[in-house]
Amino acid sequence: MEQHHVEAAAARAGRDAQILELWEQGQTKAEMGRTVGMTAQGVGYVLRRLGQ
């Protein structure tokens, strides 16, 4: 169970880093969502959580 949490946290951190990189490149939330496999609303949640 603990291994799953570690893997999920690592995947989330990687996705968050990718979203931040795309945000800095000027992509829209919809474009970022298509790239990382999320909805634009989900990307917006991640950006708010990361303070962007």
Side-chain angles (χ1 to χ4, degrees):
M1 182 78 170
E2 181 65 29
Q3 180 67 25
H4 172 73
H5 290 294
V6 171
E7 290 171 358
R12 188 168 42 253
R15 185 199 63 212
D16 291 355
Q18 186 177 13
I19 287 173
L20 281 176
E21 182 178 331
L22 296 170
W23 176 254
E24 290 172 357
Q25 293 174 9
Q27 287 197 14
T28 67
K29 290 176 188 170
E31 290 168 333
M32 289 185 273
R34 282 191 293 276
T35 301
V36 298
M38 296 177 65
T39 64
Q41 183 178 5
V43 170
Y45 169 77
V46 171
L47 288 170
R48 282 191 303 279
R49 185 169 49 78
L50 297 173
Q52 295 299 314

